[in-house]
Amino acid sequence: MITIKGLSKVFHTKDKQVTAVDNLDLSIKKGEIYGVIGYSGAGKSTFIRLLNRLEDPTDGKVTINDQELTSLRKGKLRVARQEIGMIFQHFNLLWSRTVHDNIAFPLEIAGTPKAERQKRVDELIDLVGLSGRGNSYPSQLSGGQKQRVGIARALANNPKVLLCDEATSALDPETTDSILDLLVDINEKLGLTIVLITHEMHVIRKICHQVAVMEEGKIVEQGDVLDVFLHPKQQVTKKFVDQVMGDPEKEHSLGLIKDNYKSGEIVRLHFVGDSANQALISDLSRKFELDVNILHGKITQTQKGAYGTMFVQLEGTKEEINRAIQYIKETSVEVEVNPNV
């Protein structure tokens, strides 16, 4: 669906040159919700603007639906962009136009007949949950409602791809969740491919199938969201995972655990998918001559299933602890003995 090869963008100033996007290769399948996450300055906003050529690349190719956008001239590019919708962090609505007229605007540009425009706008107002607000102006709407208008406008020309540039970062948590639910609904109903950038791992966790982590213009880690949650390799990825798992000071927490629980063995358990529903702790207590103390843990949900981590203390004889650890290894729960950050 989307193929990116050797994509780079270099900005030149009087004093220096800045490489915002550095030789990226990426492949996104049709119908996926693909997240790109990174801290401020990682290059993610430039990256998403390169996908529809709001920025022209310094080097590399972007191919969407077998059409190489990076080689198109202005006329053909304008037509190709009709198949790529985009929503923005700060909505970018026309304040002098009503909700209806904001959504109709790209249809007017495309030359869609008035009756057809009216029908399409009404459909989109219903789709994004704004029935009855067609004659309202942006100043009369909440932040979440404004973003719903932005989403409806982006869908006006029946795009095959929807690009989301920090689409929820200006919203409160409850409104963010409602917008994310809407994006999932749109993805499922319309089969739309969605590419979103964010600095919030909660957004990735809640709706994305795949994720790429950006740092200093490069993709440093990518893969299935559940796999990245379970086995973050880069330090920046571990920080993002800790956003969701509730322990941004994991190194400090682990140090406290080790200082305060020195007897027996400390193990970290990783639960994935169906294994999160296993009664493992009670099984260990019944099957082995052990005291099992839960020290710290959390389970959260991703699009591909549950993911959780838990620190436990196993107290008993060395032999019995080893037997218990071997038993855990034979289940679908991953175990890490004497874990380090």
Side-chain angles (χ1 to χ4, degrees):
M1 177 63 178
I2 302 176
T3 305
I4 299 158
K5 291 186 177 180
L7 191 64
S8 296
K9 178 64 179 181
V10 179
F11 293 100
H12 295 274
T13 67
K14 284 185 177 181
D15 304 323
K16 60 180 179 179
Q17 67 176 33
V18 177
T19 303
V21 174
D22 191 358
N23 195 32
L24 295 194
D25 293 327
L26 204 60
S27 181
I28 299 171
K29 295 178 183 176
K30 182 179 180 180
E32 274 188 337
I33 303 179
Y34 199 106
V36 179
I37 191 167
Y39 289 111
S40 179
K44 58 191 188 297
S45 289
T46 302
F47 164 74
I48 205 164
R49 290 170 64 85
L50 290 169
L51 292 188
N52 60 0
R53 278 189 58 190
L54 288 177
E55 293 279 358
D56 285 326
T58 304
D59 202 2
K61 296 179 180 180
V62 175
T63 303
I64 299 179
N65 273 345
D66 299 320
Q67 187 171 40
E68 188 189 323
L69 262 66
T70 36
S71 66
L72 296 181
R73 295 182 180 273
K74 285 185 178 179
K76 290 186 177 180
L77 178 61
R78 193 178 301 114
V79 174
R81 278 186 179 145
Q82 291 181 8
E83 295 193 341
I84 307 170
M86 189 162 184
I87 58 177
F88 303 88
Q89 177 180 0
H90 296 296
F91 322 127
N92 285 21
L93 302 181
L94 299 169
W95 293 88
S96 61
R97 282 178 168 244
T98 63
V99 166
H100 179 284
D101 291 344
N102 264 281
I103 298 169
F105 187 59
L107 296 169
E108 292 173 20
I109 293 174
T112 306
K114 187 175 181 180
E116 191 177 330
R117 285 203 309 265
Q118 181 68 47
K119 181 183 177 184
R120 179 63 177 156
V121 171
D122 289 344
E123 289 173 352
L124 289 168
I125 285 175
D126 287 341
L127 177 67
V128 301
L130 288 175
S131 297
R133 301 308 300 265
N135 292 322
S136 299
Y137 287 88
S139 61
Q140 299 170 310
L141 303 178
S142 68
Q145 289 170 330
K146 289 171 189 170
Q147 194 57 284
R148 288 173 185 269
V149 178
I151 292 170
R153 181 186 57 190
L155 297 175
N157 282 312
N158 291 299
K160 294 182 172 63
V161 176
L162 181 62
L163 307 180
C164 305
D165 186 1
E166 296 277 13
T168 60
S169 63
L171 306 175
D172 63 75
E174 186 175 348
T175 306
T176 290
D177 282 344
S178 71
I179 293 298
L180 295 178
D181 289 340
L182 175 60
L183 290 175
V184 170
D185 189 49
I186 288 168
N187 168 256
E188 292 173 351
K189 284 181 177 177
L190 306 181
L192 204 62
T193 304
I194 298 177
V195 182
L196 63 85
I197 65 165
T198 183
H199 62 274
E200 300 171 297
M201 199 62 175
H202 166 72
V203 173
I204 302 294
R205 172 195 68 80
K206 188 171 175 67
I207 72 168
C208 293
H209 305 114
Q210 298 282 320
V211 62
V213 182
M214 282 192 74
E215 189 175 31
E216 296 182 348
K218 296 179 180 291
I219 290 178
V220 296
E221 193 162 351
Q222 62 180 299
D224 180 274
V225 169
L226 198 53
D227 289 342
V228 170
F229 261 75
L230 184 59
H231 300 295
K233 296 179 178 64
Q234 302 297 321
Q235 193 60 39
V236 64
T237 313
K238 292 176 182 178
K239 288 181 180 178
F240 280 124
V241 171
D242 285 340
Q243 280 184 7
V244 173
M245 296 312 292
D247 192 2
E249 298 181 350
K250 184 167 66 175
E251 186 172 0
H252 177 65
S253 299
L254 189 55
L256 289 176
I257 287 172
K258 289 182 175 180
D259 288 343
N260 289 288
Y261 299 92
K262 295 185 178 180
S263 61
E265 195 78 75
I266 304 296
V267 299
R268 176 161 50 192
L269 306 176
H270 294 284
F271 301 86
V272 184
D274 291 340
S275 71
N277 298 319
Q278 286 185 226
L280 179 65
I281 302 302
S282 57
D283 281 351
L284 292 175
S285 298
R286 284 197 305 266
K287 293 177 182 293
F288 303 97
E289 302 259 340
L290 291 174
D291 289 325
V292 183
N293 301 316
I294 298 173
L295 307 178
H296 175 73
K298 185 174 181 180
I299 292 176
T300 191
Q301 194 71 28
T302 73
Q303 277 284 75
K304 294 290 186 70
Y307 162 77
T309 185
M310 181 181 292
F311 290 94
V312 300
Q313 178 192 30
L314 304 178
E315 286 196 285
T317 65
K318 188 70 174 175
E319 180 181 6
E320 200 70 355
I321 290 173
N322 288 340
R323 287 181 59 227
I325 291 170
Q326 184 57 41
Y327 171 79
I328 298 170
K329 289 179 178 178
E330 292 169 1
T331 72
S332 56
V333 176
E334 293 190 21
V335 58
E336 189 179 351
V337 181
N338 192 27
N340 294 309
V341 176

